[in-house]
Amino acid sequence: MALEPERTTRGWAARDASGILSPYTYSLRNTGPEDVYVKVLCCGVCHTDIHQIKNDLGMSNYPMVPGHEVVGEVVEVGSAVTKFKVGDTVGVGAIVGCCRNCRPCKADIEQYCNKKIWSYNDVYTDGKPTQGGFAGAMVVDQKFVVKIPEGMAPEQAAPLLCAGVTVYSPLSHFGLTQRGLRGGILGIGGVGHMGVKIAKAMGHHVTVISSSEKKREEAMEHLGADEYVVSSDSTRMQEAADSLDYIIDTVPVFHPLEPYLSLLKLDGKLILMGVINTPLQFLTPVVMLGRKSITGSFIGSMKETEEMLEFCKEKGLSSMIEVVKMDYVNKALERLEKNDVRYRFVVDVAGSKLDQ
């Protein structure tokens, strides 16, 4: 029996902690019974991509092809694949594997599996490194592939696969989906902007809390926030005390928590979403005297991703994006680091020449 020729694809990879991406050819596994072979159409650029390519978390392996907000077209399916067929538009998020036996896996919240396999900068079950969506193609187990709803543009869907579900998951899990709740969104980057849109679509009164006046107009006019509070304006912060049911805190750098905890009502929740590598601090009475919770949440499950995509389709919800070609990706990462994007870069992979 002749060996199948090795399947390769072209991606853009970081070679070291400088984080500069350049063309890289590597092999993909052949489509197994449960696998879906996906031609990448586009891929969102997430803040995590910067942490990983620059080895900020000290666990990076190179060459590394980042990208975990992937939308593509199914080119081939394995013999046991039931959910997808050739030609379907599908999405792949931050995770491509899990153990399937632990408590989180059995409860369909596989994002909390201790043996989960990341879409890139990880090792797959076959011992080969996983590579992400800044590439021509990916092979992914059907469990970690979702259908993109009819009529949703691929580049619009991409940021939903990480930023969108990251906000949707805690609101759903903590029972914060009913109309009329009052929510706060702290920081409006990729995740924060989706937070405003999803919370508004759920019928919440949304206050954006920011460090400066800079984003007032866009928060109110473009994203539809109800109020805008600058965290250093002590008068406004005092007026807003005890007014919020929850705050989604997307700030990815050190910040004091007390000012925000004081905005929460009795039983209010501060939900942390920023990956911060320095310890945060707060005074216990602020939490005790309002029975408040400080909690965290991490992306979302495949089930929640499907629900969230349906929700966004039903509400006609879109992300605000800037579409770029692959040869601009290094500049895009540089701008993202400076928060110079409204609000998510999406790389048009299919429309890019991946060789130069």
Side-chain angles (χ1 to χ4, degrees), residues 31 34-38 74 76 81 84 138-140 142 145:
T31 313
E34 299 274 344
D35 284 335
V36 181
Y37 179 32
V38 178
V74 176
E76 184 181 35
V81 172
F84 307 100
M138 286 175 88
V139 178
V140 185
Q142 67 170 341
V145 179

Side-chain angles (χ1 to χ4, degrees), residues 1-5 30-31:
M1 175 185 149
L3 277 175
E4 282 190 61
N30 288 316
T31 313

